[in-house]
Coordinates of all heavy atoms in Angstrom, one line a residue:
L22 N 53.6 -10.8 -15.6 CA 52.5 -9.9 -15.5 C 51.2 -10.6 -15.7 O 51.1 -11.6 -16.4 CB 52.7 -8.8 -16.5 CG 53.7 -7.7 -16.3 CD1 53.6 -6.7 -17.4 CD2 53.6 -7.1 -14.9
Y23 N 50.2 -10.0 -15.2 CA 48.8 -10.6 -15.3 C 48.1 -9.7 -16.3 O 48.2 -8.5 -16.3 CB 48.1 -10.6 -14.0 CG 48.7 -11.5 -13.0 CD1 49.5 -11.1 -12.0 CD2 48.5 -12.9 -13.1 CE1 50.1 -11.9 -11.1 CE2 49.1 -13.8 -12.2 CZ 49.9 -13.3 -11.2 OH 50.4 -14.1 -10.3
N24 N 47.3 -10.4 -17.2 CA 46.5 -9.7 -18.1 C 45.0 -9.9 -17.7 O 44.4 -10.9 -17.9 CB 46.7 -10.2 -19.5 CG 46.0 -9.4 -20.6 OD1 45.5 -8.4 -20.3 ND2 46.1 -9.9 -21.8
L25 N 44.4 -8.8 -17.2 CA 43.0 -8.9 -16.7 C 42.1 -8.1 -17.7 O 42.3 -6.9 -17.9 CB 42.8 -8.3 -15.3 CG 43.6 -9.0 -14.2 CD1 43.5 -8.2 -12.9 CD2 43.2 -10.4 -14.0
P26 N 41.2 -8.8 -18.3 CA 40.2 -8.1 -19.2 C 39.2 -7.3 -18.4 O 38.5 -7.9 -17.6 CB 39.6 -9.2 -20.0 CG 39.7 -10.4 -19.1 CD 40.9 -10.3 -18.3
I27 N 39.2 -6.1 -18.6 CA 38.3 -5.2 -17.8 C 37.4 -4.4 -18.9 O 38.0 -3.9 -19.8 CB 39.0 -4.2 -16.9 CG1 39.8 -5.0 -15.8 CG2 38.0 -3.2 -16.3 CD1 40.6 -4.1 -14.9
S28 N 36.1 -4.5 -18.6 CA 35.2 -3.8 -19.6 C 34.3 -2.9 -18.8 O 33.7 -3.3 -17.8 CB 34.4 -4.8 -20.3 OG 33.4 -4.2 -21.1
V29 N 34.2 -1.6 -19.2 CA 33.4 -0.7 -18.5 C 32.5 0.0 -19.6 O 33.0 0.4 -20.6 CB 34.2 0.4 -17.8 CG1 33.3 1.4 -17.2 CG2 35.2 -0.2 -16.8
N30 N 31.2 0.0 -19.3 CA 30.2 0.5 -20.3 C 29.6 1.7 -19.6 O 29.2 1.7 -18.5 CB 29.2 -0.5 -20.6 CG 29.7 -1.6 -21.5 OD1 30.6 -1.4 -22.3 ND2 29.3 -2.8 -21.2
Y31 N 29.5 2.8 -20.4 CA 28.8 4.0 -19.9 C 27.7 4.3 -21.0 O 27.9 4.2 -22.2 CB 29.8 5.2 -19.9 CG 30.8 5.1 -18.7 CD1 32.0 4.6 -19.0 CD2 30.4 5.4 -17.5 CE1 33.0 4.5 -18.0 CE2 31.4 5.3 -16.4 CZ 32.6 4.8 -16.7 OH 33.6 4.7 -15.7
E32 N 26.6 4.8 -20.4 CA 25.6 5.3 -21.3 C 25.3 6.8 -20.9 O 24.9 7.0 -19.8 CB 24.3 4.5 -21.2 CG 23.2 5.0 -22.1 CD 21.9 4.2 -21.9 OE1 21.9 3.0 -21.6 OE2 20.8 4.8 -22.1
L33 N 25.6 7.6 -21.8 CA 25.4 9.1 -21.5 C 23.9 9.3 -21.6 O 23.2 8.9 -22.5 CB 26.1 9.9 -22.5 CG 27.7 9.9 -22.5 CD1 28.3 10.8 -23.6 CD2 28.2 10.3 -21.1
D34 N 23.4 10.0 -20.6 CA 22.0 10.4 -20.5 C 21.8 11.8 -21.0 O 21.5 12.7 -20.3 CB 21.6 10.2 -19.0 CG 20.1 10.2 -18.9 OD1 19.4 10.1 -19.9 OD2 19.6 10.2 -17.8
L35 N 22.1 11.9 -22.3 CA 22.1 13.3 -22.9 C 20.7 13.9 -22.9 O 20.6 15.1 -22.7 CB 22.6 13.2 -24.3 CG 24.0 12.8 -24.5 CD1 24.4 12.7 -26.0 CD2 25.0 13.8 -23.8
F36 N 19.7 13.1 -23.0 CA 18.3 13.7 -23.1 C 17.5 13.4 -21.8 O 16.3 13.4 -21.8 CB 17.6 13.2 -24.3 CG 18.2 13.7 -25.6 CD1 19.0 12.8 -26.3 CD2 18.1 15.0 -26.0 CE1 19.6 13.2 -27.5 CE2 18.8 15.4 -27.2 CZ 19.5 14.6 -27.9
F37 N 18.2 13.0 -20.7 CA 17.6 12.7 -19.4 C 16.6 11.6 -19.5 O 15.7 11.5 -18.7 CB 17.0 14.0 -18.8 CG 17.9 15.1 -18.7 CD1 17.7 16.2 -19.5 CD2 18.9 15.1 -17.8 CE1 18.6 17.3 -19.4 CE2 19.8 16.2 -17.7 CZ 19.6 17.3 -18.5
K38 N 16.8 10.7 -20.4 CA 15.9 9.5 -20.6 C 15.9 8.7 -19.3 O 14.8 8.4 -18.8 CB 16.3 8.7 -21.8 CG 15.5 7.5 -22.0 CD 15.9 6.6 -23.2 CE 17.1 5.8 -22.7 NZ 17.6 4.9 -23.7
N39 N 17.1 8.4 -18.8 CA 17.1 7.5 -17.6 C 16.6 8.3 -16.3 O 15.9 7.7 -15.5 CB 18.6 7.1 -17.3 CG 19.1 6.1 -18.4 OD1 18.3 5.4 -18.9 ND2 20.4 6.2 -18.6
R40 N 16.9 9.5 -16.2 CA 16.4 10.3 -15.1 C 14.9 10.4 -15.1 O 14.3 10.3 -14.1 CB 17.1 11.7 -15.1 CG 16.7 12.6 -13.9 CD 17.3 13.9 -14.0 NE 18.8 13.8 -14.1 CZ 19.6 14.9 -14.3 NH1 19.1 16.1 -14.4 NH2 20.8 14.7 -14.5
L41 N 14.4 10.7 -16.3 CA 12.9 10.8 -16.4 C 12.2 9.4 -16.2 O 11.2 9.4 -15.5 CB 12.5 11.3 -17.8 CG 12.9 12.8 -18.1 CD1 12.6 13.1 -19.5 CD2 12.3 13.7 -17.1
A42 N 12.8 8.3 -16.6 CA 12.3 7.0 -16.4 C 12.3 6.7 -14.9 O 11.3 6.2 -14.3 CB 13.1 6.0 -17.1
T43 N 13.4 7.1 -14.2 CA 13.5 6.9 -12.8 C 12.4 7.7 -12.0 O 11.8 7.2 -11.1 CB 14.9 7.2 -12.3 OG1 15.8 6.4 -13.0 CG2 15.0 7.0 -10.8
R44 N 12.3 8.9 -12.4 CA 11.3 9.8 -11.8 C 9.9 9.3 -12.0 O 9.1 9.3 -11.1 CB 11.4 11.2 -12.4 CG 10.5 12.2 -11.7 CD 10.8 13.6 -12.2 NE 12.1 14.0 -12.0 CZ 12.8 14.9 -12.7 NH1 12.1 15.5 -13.7 NH2 14.0 15.3 -12.5
A45 N 9.6 8.8 -13.2 CA 8.3 8.2 -13.5 C 8.0 7.0 -12.7 O 6.9 6.8 -12.1 CB 8.1 7.9 -15.0
Q46 N 9.0 6.1 -12.5 CA 8.9 4.9 -11.7 C 8.7 5.3 -10.2 O 7.9 4.7 -9.6 CB 10.1 4.0 -11.9 CG 9.9 2.7 -11.2 CD 8.8 1.9 -11.9 OE1 8.6 1.8 -13.1 NE2 7.9 1.3 -11.0
R47 N 9.3 6.3 -9.8 CA 9.2 6.8 -8.4 C 7.7 7.3 -8.2 O 7.1 7.0 -7.1 CB 10.1 7.9 -8.1 CG 10.9 7.7 -6.8 CD 11.9 8.8 -6.5 NE 13.2 8.3 -6.8 CZ 14.2 8.9 -7.4 NH1 14.0 10.1 -7.9 NH2 15.4 8.4 -7.5
K48 N 7.2 8.0 -9.1 CA 5.8 8.5 -9.0 C 4.8 7.3 -9.0 O 3.8 7.3 -8.3 CB 5.5 9.5 -10.1 CG 6.2 10.8 -9.9 CD 5.7 11.8 -10.9 CE 6.5 13.1 -10.7 NZ 6.1 13.9 -9.5
L49 N 5.1 6.3 -9.9 CA 4.2 5.1 -9.8 C 4.2 4.4 -8.5 O 3.2 4.0 -8.0 CB 4.6 4.2 -11.0 CG 4.2 4.6 -12.4 CD1 4.8 3.6 -13.4 CD2 2.7 4.6 -12.5
T50 N 5.4 4.3 -8.0 CA 5.6 3.7 -6.7 C 4.9 4.5 -5.6 O 4.2 3.9 -4.7 CB 7.1 3.5 -6.3 OG1 7.7 2.7 -7.3 CG2 7.3 2.8 -5.0
D51 N 5.0 5.8 -5.6 CA 4.3 6.6 -4.6 C 2.8 6.5 -4.8 O 2.1 6.4 -3.7 CB 4.7 8.1 -4.8 CG 6.1 8.4 -4.4 OD1 6.7 7.5 -3.7 OD2 6.6 9.5 -4.8
A52 N 2.3 6.4 -6.0 CA 0.9 6.2 -6.2 C 0.4 4.9 -5.6 O -0.7 4.8 -5.0 CB 0.5 6.4 -7.7
Q53 N 1.2 3.9 -5.8 CA 0.8 2.5 -5.3 C 0.8 2.5 -3.8 O 0.0 1.9 -3.2 CB 1.8 1.5 -5.9 CG 1.6 1.2 -7.3 CD 2.6 0.2 -7.9 OE1 3.8 0.1 -7.3 NE2 2.3 -0.4 -9.0
L54 N 1.8 3.2 -3.2 CA 1.8 3.3 -1.7 C 0.6 4.1 -1.2 O 0.1 3.7 -0.2 CB 3.1 4.0 -1.3 CG 4.4 3.1 -1.5 CD1 5.6 3.9 -1.1 CD2 4.3 1.9 -0.6
Q55 N 0.2 5.1 -1.9 CA -1.0 5.8 -1.5 C -2.2 5.0 -1.6 O -3.1 5.0 -0.7 CB -1.2 7.1 -2.4 CG -0.2 8.2 -2.1 CD -0.3 8.7 -0.7 OE1 -1.4 8.8 -0.1 NE2 0.8 9.0 -0.1
R56 N -2.3 4.2 -2.7 CA -3.5 3.3 -2.8 C -3.5 2.2 -1.7 O -4.5 1.9 -1.2 CB -3.5 2.6 -4.2 CG -4.0 3.5 -5.3 CD -4.3 2.7 -6.6 NE -3.1 2.1 -7.1 CZ -2.3 2.7 -8.0 NH1 -2.5 4.0 -8.3 NH2 -1.2 2.1 -8.5
L57 N -2.3 1.7 -1.4 CA -2.2 0.8 -0.3 C -2.6 1.4 1.1 O -3.4 0.8 1.8 CB -0.7 0.3 -0.1 CG -0.4 -0.6 1.1 CD1 -1.3 -1.9 1.0 CD2 1.0 -0.9 1.2
A58 N -2.2 2.6 1.3 CA -2.6 3.3 2.6 C -4.1 3.5 2.6 O -4.8 3.3 3.6 CB -1.8 4.6 2.7
S59 N -4.7 3.9 1.5 CA -6.1 4.1 1.4 C -6.9 2.8 1.6 O -7.9 2.8 2.3 CB -6.4 4.7 0.0 OG -7.8 4.8 -0.1
T60 N -6.4 1.7 1.1 CA -7.0 0.4 1.3 C -6.9 0.0 2.7 O -7.9 -0.5 3.3 CB -6.3 -0.6 0.4 OG1 -6.5 -0.2 -1.0 CG2 -6.9 -2.0 0.6
Q61 N -5.8 0.2 3.4 CA -5.6 -0.1 4.8 C -6.6 0.7 5.6 O -7.2 0.1 6.5 CB -4.2 0.1 5.2 CG -3.2 -0.8 4.6 CD -1.8 -0.5 4.9 OE1 -1.4 0.7 5.1 NE2 -0.9 -1.5 5.0
V62 N -6.8 1.9 5.3 CA -7.8 2.8 6.1 C -9.2 2.2 5.9 O -10.0 2.1 6.8 CB -7.7 4.2 5.7 CG1 -8.8 5.1 6.2 CG2 -6.3 4.8 6.2
S63 N -9.5 1.9 4.6 CA -10.9 1.4 4.3 C -11.1 0.0 5.0 O -12.2 -0.2 5.6 CB -11.0 1.1 2.8 OG -11.0 2.4 2.1
V64 N -10.1 -0.8 5.1 CA -10.3 -2.1 5.7 C -10.5 -1.9 7.2 O -11.3 -2.5 7.9 CB -9.1 -3.0 5.5 CG1 -9.1 -4.3 6.4 CG2 -9.1 -3.5 4.0
A65 N -9.7 -1.0 7.8 CA -9.8 -0.7 9.2 C -11.2 -0.1 9.6 O -11.8 -0.5 10.5 CB -8.7 0.3 9.7
A66 N -11.7 0.8 8.7 CA -13.0 1.4 8.9 C -14.1 0.3 8.8 O -15.0 0.3 9.6 CB -13.2 2.5 7.9
E67 N -14.0 -0.5 7.8 CA -15.1 -1.5 7.6 C -15.0 -2.6 8.8 O -16.1 -3.0 9.2 CB -14.9 -2.3 6.3 CG -15.4 -1.4 5.1 CD -16.8 -1.1 5.2 OE1 -17.7 -2.0 5.4 OE2 -17.2 0.1 5.0
T68 N -13.8 -2.9 9.2 CA -13.7 -3.8 10.4 C -14.3 -3.2 11.6 O -15.1 -3.9 12.4 CB -12.2 -4.2 10.6 OG1 -11.7 -4.7 9.4 CG2 -12.1 -5.1 11.8
T69 N -14.1 -1.9 11.9 CA -14.6 -1.2 13.0 C -16.1 -1.2 12.9 O -16.9 -1.4 13.9 CB -14.0 0.2 13.1 OG1 -12.6 0.1 13.2 CG2 -14.6 1.0 14.3
R70 N -16.7 -0.9 11.7 CA -18.1 -0.8 11.5 C -18.7 -2.2 11.8 O -19.8 -2.3 12.5 CB -18.4 -0.3 10.1 CG -19.9 -0.1 9.9 CD -20.3 0.0 8.4 NE -19.9 -1.1 7.6 CZ -20.5 -2.3 7.6 NH1 -21.6 -2.5 8.3 NH2 -20.0 -3.3 6.9
A71 N -18.1 -3.2 11.3 CA -18.7 -4.6 11.5 C -18.7 -4.9 13.0 O -19.6 -5.5 13.5 CB -17.9 -5.6 10.7
Y72 N -17.6 -4.6 13.7 CA -17.5 -4.9 15.1 C -18.6 -4.1 15.9 O -19.2 -4.6 16.8 CB -16.1 -4.5 15.6 CG -15.9 -4.8 17.1 CD1 -16.0 -6.1 17.6 CD2 -15.7 -3.7 18.0 CE1 -15.8 -6.3 18.9 CE2 -15.5 -4.0 19.3 CZ -15.6 -5.3 19.8 OH -15.4 -5.5 21.1
M73 N -18.8 -2.8 15.5 CA -19.8 -2.0 16.2 C -21.2 -2.6 15.9 O -22.0 -2.7 16.8 CB -19.7 -0.6 15.7 CG -18.4 0.1 16.1 SD -18.0 0.1 17.9 CE -19.2 1.3 18.5
D74 N -21.4 -3.1 14.7 CA -22.7 -3.7 14.4 C -22.9 -5.0 15.3 O -23.9 -5.2 15.9 CB -22.8 -4.1 12.9 CG -23.0 -2.9 12.0 OD1 -23.4 -1.8 12.5 OD2 -22.8 -3.1 10.8
W75 N -21.8 -5.7 15.4 CA -21.9 -7.0 16.2 C -22.2 -6.6 17.7 O -23.0 -7.3 18.3 CB -20.6 -7.7 16.1 CG -20.5 -9.0 16.9 CD1 -21.1 -10.2 16.5 CD2 -19.9 -9.2 18.1 NE1 -20.9 -11.1 17.5 CE2 -20.2 -10.5 18.5 CE3 -19.2 -8.4 19.0 CZ2 -19.7 -11.1 19.7 CZ3 -18.8 -8.9 20.2 CH2 -19.0 -10.2 20.5
L76 N -21.5 -5.6 18.2 CA -21.8 -5.2 19.6 C -23.3 -4.8 19.7 O -23.9 -5.1 20.7 CB -20.9 -4.1 20.0 CG -19.4 -4.4 20.2 CD1 -18.6 -3.1 20.5 CD2 -19.3 -5.4 21.3
R77 N -23.8 -4.0 18.8 CA -25.2 -3.6 18.8 C -26.1 -4.7 18.8 O -27.1 -4.8 19.6 CB -25.4 -2.6 17.7 CG -26.7 -1.9 17.7 CD -26.9 -0.8 16.7 NE -26.2 -0.9 15.4 CZ -25.1 -0.3 15.1 NH1 -24.5 0.5 16.0 NH2 -24.5 -0.5 13.9
Y78 N -25.9 -5.7 18.0 CA -26.7 -6.9 17.9 C -26.6 -7.7 19.2 O -27.6 -8.3 19.6 CB -26.4 -7.8 16.7 CG -26.7 -7.1 15.4 CD1 -25.8 -7.2 14.3 CD2 -27.8 -6.4 15.2 CE1 -26.1 -6.5 13.1 CE2 -28.1 -5.7 14.0 CZ -27.2 -5.8 13.0 OH -27.5 -5.2 11.8
Q79 N -25.4 -7.8 19.8 CA -25.3 -8.5 21.0 C -26.1 -7.8 22.1 O -26.7 -8.5 23.0 CB -23.8 -8.6 21.4 CG -23.0 -9.5 20.6 CD -23.5 -10.9 20.6 OE1 -23.7 -11.5 21.7 NE2 -23.6 -11.5 19.5
A80 N -26.1 -6.5 22.2 CA -26.9 -5.8 23.1 C -28.4 -6.0 22.9 O -29.1 -6.2 23.9 CB -26.6 -4.3 23.1
R81 N -28.8 -6.0 21.7 CA -30.2 -6.3 21.4 C -30.6 -7.7 21.8 O -31.7 -7.9 22.4 CB -30.5 -6.1 19.9 CG -30.8 -4.8 19.4 CD -31.2 -4.9 17.9 NE -31.3 -3.7 17.3 CZ -31.4 -3.5 16.0 NH1 -31.4 -4.5 15.2 NH2 -31.5 -2.3 15.5
L82 N -29.8 -8.6 21.5 CA -30.0 -10.0 21.9 C -30.1 -10.1 23.4 O -31.0 -10.8 23.9 CB -28.9 -10.9 21.4 CG -29.1 -12.4 21.6 CD1 -30.3 -12.9 21.0 CD2 -27.9 -13.1 21.0
A83 N -29.2 -9.5 24.2 CA -29.3 -9.5 25.6 C -30.6 -8.9 26.1 O -31.2 -9.4 27.0 CB -28.1 -8.8 26.2
T84 N -31.0 -7.8 25.5 CA -32.3 -7.1 25.9 C -33.4 -8.1 25.7 O -34.3 -8.2 26.5 CB -32.5 -5.8 25.2 OG1 -31.3 -4.9 25.5 CG2 -33.7 -5.1 25.6
L85 N -33.5 -8.7 24.5 CA -34.6 -9.6 24.2 C -34.6 -10.8 25.1 O -35.7 -11.3 25.6 CB -34.5 -10.1 22.7 CG -34.8 -9.0 21.7 CD1 -34.5 -9.6 20.3 CD2 -36.2 -8.6 21.8
R86 N -33.4 -11.3 25.5 CA -33.4 -12.5 26.4 C -33.9 -12.1 27.8 O -34.5 -12.9 28.4 CB -31.9 -13.0 26.5 CG -31.6 -13.8 25.3 CD -30.2 -14.4 25.4 NE -29.9 -15.2 24.2 CZ -28.7 -15.5 23.8 NH1 -27.6 -15.0 24.4 NH2 -28.5 -16.3 22.7
E87 N -33.6 -10.8 28.2 CA -34.0 -10.4 29.5 C -35.6 -10.3 29.5 O -36.2 -10.6 30.4 CB -33.4 -9.0 29.8 CG -32.0 -9.1 30.3 CD -31.4 -7.7 30.6 OE1 -32.2 -6.7 30.8 OE2 -30.2 -7.6 30.6
R88 N -36.1 -9.7 28.4 CA -37.6 -9.6 28.3 C -38.3 -10.9 28.3 O -39.4 -11.0 28.8 CB -37.9 -8.7 27.1 CG -37.6 -7.3 27.2 CD -38.0 -6.5 26.0 NE -37.6 -5.1 26.1 CZ -37.7 -4.3 25.1 NH1 -38.2 -4.6 24.0 NH2 -37.2 -3.0 25.3
L89 N -37.7 -11.9 27.6 CA -38.4 -13.2 27.4 C -38.1 -14.1 28.6 O -39.0 -15.0 28.8 CB -37.8 -13.9 26.1 CG -38.2 -13.2 24.8 CD1 -37.6 -13.9 23.7 CD2 -39.8 -13.2 24.6
G90 N -37.1 -13.9 29.3 CA -36.7 -14.9 30.2 C -36.8 -14.7 31.6 O -37.0 -15.4 32.5

């Protein structure tokens, strides 16, 4: 016969400590994902604004070149 040492540990979650910790961690993760999404929107908006400014300056430059040249 073979003698295999097997050990199993259980922690009873009598006061929902583990469940509450998991729920709290989930909420933190959700908040971080919301901040990430908000940052992505802000970066996209600022990039679009900068590009629109650049186009506007290019149009002004073209107009000035036409008038001068």
